[in-house]
Amino acid sequence: MKKENLWRCGIYSMGLITLALGVTLNTKARLGISPVTAVPYSIAHAFNISFAVTVFLVYAVMLVIQFALKGTRREWKDLLQIPFSFVFSAFLEWFETLICVEFTALWQNLLLLSIATICIGVGAAMMVAMRMVPN
């Protein structure tokens, strides 16, 4: 593997971890969630299922829909979304158990939400910039 590709894989991986951290912090702030995670979050709470597992299952359903919509234009790298969604969900689960915060003051939750938003933005930008596996 070329040195450039190793760097790209490393940056992509760091982006994935940063994004998972941001999504976890976003849910810990309890001030609302992003539209992308709203459906899995609602399902997880309605059926008392792990948020990370629900994220993976919803992403898998979205991938099936994506395949149907793309038809003959689908690419082999589209299938890589499955293992990367699994890894993303694993990091969500890990951060969920690792980070045990529950703030009562609004300013603390707003600060946590701000940090979460920055992590989500930076993580997503890192992943998209590497043009590897869409997530």
Side-chain angles (χ1 to χ4, degrees):
M1 188 180 272
K2 293 181 181 178
K3 189 175 181 179
E4 177 185 327
N5 288 338
L6 284 174
W7 275 104
R8 289 179 62 218
C9 287
I11 292 170
Y12 185 89
S13 298
M14 290 304 298
L16 184 121
I17 293 167
T18 305
L19 180 63
L21 174 63
V23 170
T24 303
L25 293 176
N26 192 351
T27 61
K28 297 281 184 180
R30 302 204 187 277
L31 292 174
I33 52 174
S34 69
V36 175
T37 56
V39 172
Y41 188 80
S42 300
I43 292 170
H45 282 280
F47 295 102
N48 201 22
I49 305 170
S50 164
F51 175 59
V53 170
T54 310
V55 165
F56 177 72
L57 294 175
V58 169
Y59 282 7
V61 169
M62 299 285 189
L63 182 62
V64 170
I65 294 169
Q66 176 186 355
F67 260 65
L69 292 174
K70 278 186 148 185
T72 58
R73 295 179 319 214
R74 58 184 93 109
E75 300 176 28
W76 67 268
K77 74 176 185 178
D78 292 338
L79 287 176
L80 291 175
Q81 293 178 70
I82 293 172
F84 278 91
S85 293
F86 180 79
V87 171
F88 178 74
S89 297
F91 276 109
L92 280 178
E93 187 70 36
W94 186 62
F95 284 131
E96 181 68 29
T97 58
L98 184 69
I99 301 170
C100 300
V101 295
E102 193 168 317
F103 296 127
T104 54
L106 178 61
W107 72 268
Q108 293 170 321
N109 287 319
L110 287 171
L111 179 62
L112 187 60
L113 181 62
S114 298
I115 294 167
T117 303
I118 290 168
C119 288
I120 290 170
V122 169
M126 290 170 76
M127 292 175 69
V128 169
M130 294 303 104
R131 294 179 305 194
M132 293 178 73
V133 179
N135 189 4

